[in-house]
Amino acid sequence: MAEQVIIVDENDNEAGVSEKIKAHEAGLLHRAFSVFIFNSKKELLLQKRASSKYHSGGLWSMTCCGHPRPKEKTKDAAKRRLKEEMGFDCSLKKVYSFIYKAKFDNGLTEYEYDNVFVGNYEENPIINPEEAEEWKWADPLFLRKDIKENPENYTYWFKICADRVLNLV
């Protein structure tokens, strides 16, 4: 069965479900999450998305991101994807939500109600190569500078929320 996403309104009220790829083809607003994991040095764990991803492959992004499944709590989905993509689990705290819309060259549109979570972890991840091809711990000062100087190296949604999350640490 094709992966499903939860269609929502601008207040995050559920309005139905859709196949993930169809939601991205039609540009339907759907629920999503972004996870930012920091270590005790206040470094952010970044992943470089696998080049094989359906969009934004080969770009650096937050620790992980994804979509909750129908009837799955968003925080539970964030913890599930953290384990699937980066090979570990930790406590997560929701810090805020935002909506963004971005069209990609391949005709897909991300239109997401994105729930942002933060957590702490001290070990190195064990990445799933189908999801991420590289990882690194990044110093916030370096990261802010690099995003400004090399924005093409980062995912669209990461550039929107990175500064606000980095201000929390």
Side-chain angles (χ1 to χ4, degrees):
M1 185 172 159
E3 188 174 347
Q4 304 277 307
V5 295
I6 302 166
I7 306 303
V8 296
D9 66 15
E10 292 186 354
N11 294 310
D12 197 31
N13 296 308
E14 292 187 23
V17 297
S18 174
E19 285 186 20
K20 179 174 144 180
I21 197 69
K22 288 183 179 178
H24 289 94
E25 289 170 346
L28 302 175
L29 180 60
H30 57 281
R31 189 174 292 153
F33 57 83
S34 294
V35 178
F36 289 74
I37 301 297
F38 294 90
N39 64 17
S40 59
K41 298 179 202 172
K42 301 191 188 285
E43 296 169 319
L44 173 60
L45 179 58
L46 298 178
Q47 70 154 273
K48 189 174 192 181
R49 288 171 58 89
S51 295
S52 60
K53 297 293 274 186
Y54 62 106
H55 69 72
S56 305
L59 298 180
W60 288 99
S61 200
M62 65 277 297
T63 311
C64 83
C65 58
H67 308 94
R69 296 172 177 153
K71 301 186 188 323
E72 183 180 35
K73 293 180 181 174
T74 305
K75 186 175 184 178
D76 293 343
K79 291 175 75 65
R80 172 180 52 81
R81 288 302 288 166
L82 185 59
K83 183 77 172 156
E84 290 170 357
E85 292 186 25
M86 305 302 279
F88 67 89
D89 186 21
C90 67
S91 294
L92 296 177
K93 176 185 171 188
K94 183 177 173 184
V95 290
Y96 74 99
S97 300
F98 70 102
I99 294 174
Y100 76 94
K101 189 173 191 177
K103 280 192 160 248
F104 297 99
D105 292 341
N106 64 1
L108 298 178
T109 299
E110 279 287 15
Y111 187 24
E112 295 189 332
Y113 189 101
D114 196 352
N115 298 273
V116 180
F117 293 88
V118 297
N120 296 94
Y121 189 71
E122 295 301 320
E123 305 297 320
N124 290 334
I126 302 169
I127 60 173
N128 176 346
E130 292 178 12
E131 301 294 338
E133 55 191 45
E134 290 182 50
W135 65 272
K136 65 182 173 184
W137 290 104
D139 174 78
L141 293 175
F142 164 80
L143 188 55
R144 281 188 171 104
K145 182 176 182 247
D146 198 52
I147 290 170
K148 285 180 184 164
E149 293 175 0
N150 303 292
E152 70 282 0
N153 293 339
Y154 297 91
T155 61
Y156 181 86
W157 58 96
F158 177 66
K159 291 183 285 189
I160 292 172
C161 60
D163 200 52
R164 183 170 176 183
V165 175
L166 292 172
N167 284 335
L168 298 172
V169 297

